[in-house]
Amino acid sequence: MRARDLDVLGFPKLLDALAARAVSEPGAELCRARVPARTREAAEKALERQWSFFRLLEVSGSLPLTSFPDVRESLALASHEGAMLPGDRLVEIRTVLRQIQLLQRFLATRVATLPALADLPRRLQGLPELEAALSHMLDDGGVLLDDASPRLYELRSALLELRQQIEDRLARLVQGGENAGIADRYVTIRNNRFVVPVKAATATRMPGVVQDRSASGETLFVEPMFAIDLNNQLMLLRKEEEGEERRLLTVLTAQVGAVRDELVRACAALAEVDALHAGVLLARRLACTSPAFGDATFDLRRARHPELILRDATVVPIDVRIGADKLALVVSGPNTGGKTVALKTLGLLTLMAQAGLLIPAEEGSIVPWVEGVFTDLSDDQSIERNLSTFSSHVVNLVEIFAELHTPALVLLDEPGGGTDPEEGAALAVALIDRLIAAGILVGVATHYAPVKLYALNEPRVELVAVDIDPVTFVPRYRLVYGSVGESLGLAMARRLRLPADVIEAAETRRESAARELATAIAKLETSRRRYEDERSAIAEERRALAELESERASLVAELGERRRERWSRELDEAREFVRELKAEGRAALEILRRREPGTSTAVATFAGKATAAITARAAEIAGAPASVDEPPQLGDNVEVVGTSIRGELIEIQGETARLRSGSLTFQAPVANLRRRLPDAPTRTKTTARPRPRLMDDDVPHELNLIGMRVREALDRLESFLDKAQEAGVGSVRIIHGLGTGALKRAIAEFLARTAYATSFQDAEPNAGGLGVTIAILT
């Protein structure tokens, strides 16, 4: 990849945004060092690694990762014989060791289902013995603890005792030292020796050594004669203490140096975890997903340019795609419509995927696998080379052709610009034709009419226009495929109130062919918009009709259910009658048994037959639909005998009935109506046929979908809801996590249109909050 192309597409800026989310300098360096992979296998491996880390954090929540220091220089110094690292450097190494051990334990229990991350726990090699030694001997400030060694403890104890002795004697001196010329009643230190303040005018009263004087000169700091020997002893003890401290720090440094290689490898793994974590944070900010690589195609669904998102600008997602039988995408339309942004989005998202970064697009997106992305998008003149705009473009194109080989992606913004329009258009067509002939993927933004006509007639080229409001000319920032975009230069100039005579003169000077072409394009665009509006209206009408049909089916099912409930009540009454009859019969049998043998058997047989008949009738009613011979009722699905008229019975007035079929109503004699048997039952929100209940241990109440792709998650969800409804569960928990929100939205849309759930809502904050959806089942 050329550095120029990476800069033009904004790849370094994106890496800066990635590095800003790292918690360490080594992690940030790894982020800034990311480059598109040279092979497809390496790119897919890096992308899978980043996606696996994203899924890991979706399931496990936050990573136990905090800011840690850069110890690479310290490790290099520790490898030298006799080296001594200061205490604060050793504490930094201890901090890194603790972070490594913490992450190793965290990842070891979580990467079993994520093969792409399986190496991380092994590489995060902890060194508990070294960490224990550093913790035992150093405090958090890097100071050696008293019990770091017996000799250090002995020296510091002696120092403390001697210091206290000196301070006590000097304190007694200043408390009763009026005759010695004491200036103030305190003991202080000058030149690392304990002294007392004495008035300069009476300094001769205090025998001793002057160690310092005040700024005003009125006070001298005198070391009394008796304190000289004590201060000397104190100084010698301090020297011994410093020597012991140096010895201990050298020992600790040697321990670090002995395991330097292991530490370097573990720190490299730690930096990689930091970079992967930064990738997850950036992916959440940009609402990213993992794409697939296409051989000679791309399909970016609802793609968004990362720079616009990071600037908190309003971003309209776009679909950027090219079919398997195409090689070039030619984008036309007015200025400020988003042509260049569309090309840059394609180029930058391709680079991101090849560098192992998730991209801001919907699931199912495909980026092209190419070994180079080349751009000619800037219109800056080459001042250093004293080149014009056109010459600069040509020089850049020469360099592109010199390095170009398949597979590659070339992005051109108004190729042929900066010179005569006729020559420029011819050059643009020739460039596109040459590139696609070589099997190169091409993205082009153009205003030239000849280029649009070429794209319209060339089967290997996908023609697309950026959409605008036909009245206000405000860009809608979406791409319309199979359409020719209008440049609208003169129309915009008129709207911006350029003098009318100038506009009219420009219209007059346009060649007739150009005017005719512009008129034809305008007519095509008008027709396209009209057909698109009509298609939207038809789709909306179909949706409304589908909702009405669903509502009608629900009402019919509800009426049938009510009818079956009424029959069930009547059967219950009949069963109760039989039970009472049996009870009365048993009471009478005791009397009849003595008078007439065989009576008991006959009565029991009668009761058994009656019970069996009622049971059979109950099963028949529960499973069979209403008979077509029964008189039709309001809400029934009926047909007019001898005609093709069918519909729902909505009104009966005397001998006349009214039917509704779709948006039409019909009148017919009640005598000519016949009920229609319902179609084969489908799953609705009320079910007549009883379902066998599951055992309590098998009753499903919760489903975890975290880490799954949308299609896989929805398949699992449908099967889960079917089992839950069969078991008679009233409500279920659906765990999907937060992430980019794509899975949560897909689940909400599924629950909104499915017949399984009557309503759904987010869980309470202490029960999962926005990461869990509670569905109430039918």
Side-chain angles (χ1 to χ4, degrees):
M1 300 285 183
R2 299 187 306 171
R4 166 179 179 155
D5 300 315
L6 298 178
D7 289 338
V8 168
L9 292 173
F11 189 68
K13 289 183 179 179
L14 182 73
L15 295 185
D16 288 340
L18 178 66
R21 287 161 171 79
V23 300
S24 70
E25 182 54 34
E29 286 183 11
L30 278 183
C31 292
R32 286 188 288 266
R34 285 221 189 191
V35 293
R38 293 182 176 273
T39 66
R40 181 168 181 169
E41 180 182 3
E44 289 175 338
K45 183 178 179 181
L47 196 57
E48 179 60 26
R49 194 170 179 84
Q50 184 65 73
W51 178 240
S52 295
F53 209 86
F54 182 90
R55 295 172 63 188
L56 170 70
L57 296 193
E58 284 294 285
V59 175
S60 303
S62 61
L63 187 72
L65 177 67
T66 57
S67 177
F68 58 88
D70 183 1
V71 298
R72 290 174 293 184
E73 181 181 358
S74 297
L75 295 180
L77 292 173
S79 63
H80 298 290
E81 185 176 357
M84 185 194 76
L85 292 175
D88 57 347
R89 291 284 192 96
L90 292 169
V91 168
E92 289 180 348
I93 293 174
R94 183 182 68 187
T95 300
V96 170
L97 284 172
R98 290 176 177 175
Q99 180 69 87
I100 289 171
Q101 293 173 15
L102 183 62
L103 283 175
Q104 196 278 336
R105 290 193 296 269
F106 178 86
L107 294 174
T109 59
R110 291 171 170 84
V111 301
T113 59
L114 300 168
L117 303 176
D119 65 302
L120 285 178
R122 182 177 66 256
R123 291 171 54 206
L124 289 166
Q125 180 181 356
L127 298 170
E129 297 84 2
L130 177 59
E131 191 274 332
L134 294 172
S135 298
H136 172 70
M137 297 176 68
L138 294 167
D139 65 12
D140 291 342
V143 177
L144 285 164
L145 298 171
D146 292 346
D147 56 354
S149 74
R151 179 57 179 163
L152 184 62
Y153 182 84
E154 178 184 338
L155 289 171
R156 287 184 175 176
S157 298
L159 277 168
L160 180 64
E161 182 179 353
L162 182 58
R163 185 183 297 111
Q164 190 64 48
Q165 178 184 349
I166 296 174
E167 288 181 350
D168 290 345
R169 291 189 62 178
L170 291 178
R172 289 195 297 271
L173 175 65
V174 298
Q175 292 297 327
E178 290 86 354
N179 296 329
I182 297 299
D184 209 341
R185 299 180 184 278
Y186 65 87
V187 177
T188 185
I189 295 177
R190 289 293 187 275
N191 298 326
N192 293 321
R193 304 178 75 84
F194 283 97
V195 296
V196 294
V198 178
K199 296 177 183 177
T202 59
T204 55
R205 300 180 186 178
M206 175 68 69
V209 177
V210 177
Q211 295 291 347
D212 199 2
R213 64 182 295 174
S214 66
S216 64
E218 296 180 358
T219 301
L220 301 179
F221 296 97
V222 178
E223 179 183 9
M225 295 299 296
F226 73 86
I228 293 175
D229 183 55
L230 294 175
N231 275 326
N232 288 341
Q233 294 179 41
L234 189 65
M235 181 185 67
L236 292 175
L237 282 174
R238 283 174 180 162
K239 292 294 183 181
E240 288 190 56
E241 178 193 28
E242 291 174 0
E244 178 65 10
E245 288 176 347
R246 284 195 299 271
R247 185 186 72 82
L248 293 174
L249 292 176
T250 302
V251 169
L252 288 175
T253 302
Q255 293 182 29
V256 172
V259 292
R260 174 187 177 272
D261 292 341
E262 292 88 338
L263 266 173
V264 168
R265 287 193 293 269
C267 288
L270 180 60
E272 184 179 0
V273 170
D274 186 14
L276 288 170
H277 181 251
V280 173
L281 297 181
L282 183 65
R284 288 176 175 173
R285 174 68 178 87
L286 301 178
C288 292
T289 190
S290 178
F293 286 109
D295 292 323
T297 62
F298 52 85
D299 184 5
L300 299 178
R301 304 175 182 180
R302 296 182 60 79
R304 302 166 300 280
H305 196 286
E307 184 178 346
L308 298 178
I309 301 175
L310 294 174
R311 292 206 319 248
D312 293 321
T314 301
V315 183
V316 180
I318 58 174
D319 296 326
V320 187
R321 65 177 185 269
I322 190 169
D325 57 339
K326 307 284 186 180
L327 281 171
L329 181 72
V330 172
V331 187
S332 61
N335 291 323
T336 73
K339 300 189 300 299
T340 304
V341 172
L343 296 184
K344 285 188 174 183
T345 301
L346 168 60
L348 181 55
L349 268 57
T350 298
L351 294 176
M352 290 177 66
Q354 295 190 187
L357 294 173
L358 306 181
I359 65 171
E362 290 293 330
E363 287 189 13
S365 291
I366 299 173
V367 296
W369 167 251
V370 292
E371 295 181 2
V373 178
F374 301 90
T375 65
D376 188 49
L377 301 177
S378 174
D379 59 357
D380 294 334
Q381 296 187 18
S382 181
I383 298 176
E384 296 83 357
R385 291 192 256 180
N386 193 27
L387 298 176
S388 67
T389 301
F390 178 75
S391 299
S392 178
H393 281 302
V394 172
V395 169
N396 185 32
L397 289 170
V398 169
E399 294 175 357
I400 290 175
F401 275 105
E403 299 186 25
L404 195 61
H405 62 275
T406 57
L409 172 65
V410 177
L411 304 175
L412 306 174
D413 187 4
E414 199 61 82
T419 186
D420 177 76
E422 184 178 351
E423 291 184 350
L427 178 60
V429 170
L431 285 171
I432 300 170
D433 204 52
R434 166 70 183 277
L435 291 170
I436 63 177
I440 305 295
L441 288 174
V442 187
V444 177
T446 187
H447 286 289
Y448 288 145
V451 179
K452 299 176 187 178
L453 290 176
Y454 164 78
L456 193 61
N457 293 310
E458 172 56 59
R460 295 172 296 176
V461 177
E462 185 81 70
L463 183 60
V464 61
V466 292
D467 197 19
I468 64 167
D469 187 291
V471 178
T472 63
F473 299 151
V474 173
R476 293 171 174 165
Y477 300 106
R478 69 185 185 98
L479 302 181
V480 182
Y481 284 79
S483 178
V484 181
E486 303 175 75
S487 294
L488 299 176
L490 294 179
M492 286 187 174
R494 181 181 290 107
R495 182 171 182 79
L496 295 173
R497 298 183 180 180
L498 195 67
D501 56 339
V502 175
I503 302 296
E504 292 173 1
E507 290 282 5
T508 302
R509 289 180 176 273
R510 292 178 69 186
E511 296 181 5
S512 60
R515 288 198 302 270
E516 292 173 1
L517 177 60
T519 302
I521 291 176
K523 289 181 179 179
L524 285 173
E525 281 298 290
T526 301
S527 298
R528 180 191 63 78
R529 292 191 180 97
R530 183 176 69 253
Y531 290 138
E532 188 172 288
D533 293 341
E534 291 177 356
R535 184 179 62 181
S536 299
I538 291 172
E540 179 63 24
E541 185 176 338
R542 286 178 177 172
R543 185 193 62 78
L545 288 174
E547 290 180 355
L548 288 174
E549 177 61 23
S550 176
E551 183 179 356
R552 183 199 65 79
S554 298
L555 290 174
V556 170
E558 184 178 353
L559 288 172
E561 182 66 20
R562 290 179 180 177
R563 187 179 297 113
R564 281 185 285 273
E565 289 176 357
R566 185 178 72 249
W567 292 338
S568 179
R569 286 195 300 271
E570 293 174 355
L571 287 171
D572 288 342
E573 293 173 359
R575 292 191 186 97
E576 183 63 27
F577 170 74
V578 172
R579 283 193 292 270
E580 292 174 357
L581 181 61
K582 284 182 178 181
E584 293 175 0
R586 291 191 188 96
L589 279 177
E590 190 62 28
I591 300 172
L592 295 175
R593 183 172 51 82
R594 300 171 184 173
R595 298 179 182 178
E596 187 176 347
T599 303
S600 176
T601 302
V603 173
T605 300
F606 165 75
K609 289 181 178 180
T611 301
I614 292 173
T615 302
R617 180 58 178 161
E620 180 183 350
I621 291 174
S627 171
V628 296
D629 295 327
E630 293 179 9
Q633 304 291 328
L634 291 179
D636 286 346
N637 195 10
V638 299
E639 62 182 357
V640 181
V641 178
T643 72
S644 60
I645 298 175
R646 298 177 179 180
E648 178 186 1
L649 182 57
I650 59 175
E651 184 179 3
I652 298 177
Q653 293 183 350
E655 299 298 323
T656 303
R658 292 179 64 239
L659 289 69
R660 178 169 57 200
S661 177
S663 60
L664 303 177
T665 59
F666 304 92
Q667 288 187 351
V670 175
N672 292 349
L673 297 185
R674 183 177 65 183
R675 299 180 56 172
R676 297 181 60 211
L677 287 174
D679 297 329
T682 56
R683 184 165 60 228
T684 62
K685 292 191 177 181
T686 57
T687 305
R689 184 171 58 255
R691 297 173 179 260
R693 296 185 63 84
L694 301 175
M695 298 297 291
D696 288 344
D697 292 342
D698 298 329
V699 174
H701 292 277
E702 183 176 284
L703 178 64
N704 191 332
L705 300 176
I706 291 178
M708 296 184 184
R709 293 182 180 271
V710 170
R711 182 173 300 174
E712 176 190 1
L714 294 184
D715 289 343
R716 289 281 300 277
L717 178 58
E718 183 174 16
S719 176
F720 168 76
L721 293 178
D722 190 66
K723 292 180 180 179
Q725 190 185 64
E726 180 178 344
V729 175
S731 65
V732 295
R733 284 168 48 87
I734 305 168
I735 305 172
H736 44 69
L738 297 176
T740 64
L743 183 56
K744 176 181 176 69
R745 291 194 299 272
I747 289 172
E749 292 173 359
F750 177 84
L751 292 175
R753 67 173 184 268
T754 186
Y756 287 115
T758 58
S759 62
F760 58 92
Q761 62 188 19
D762 293 333
E764 296 295 329
N766 60 356
L770 298 177
V772 176
T773 295
I774 306 298
I776 309 301
L777 306 187
T778 56

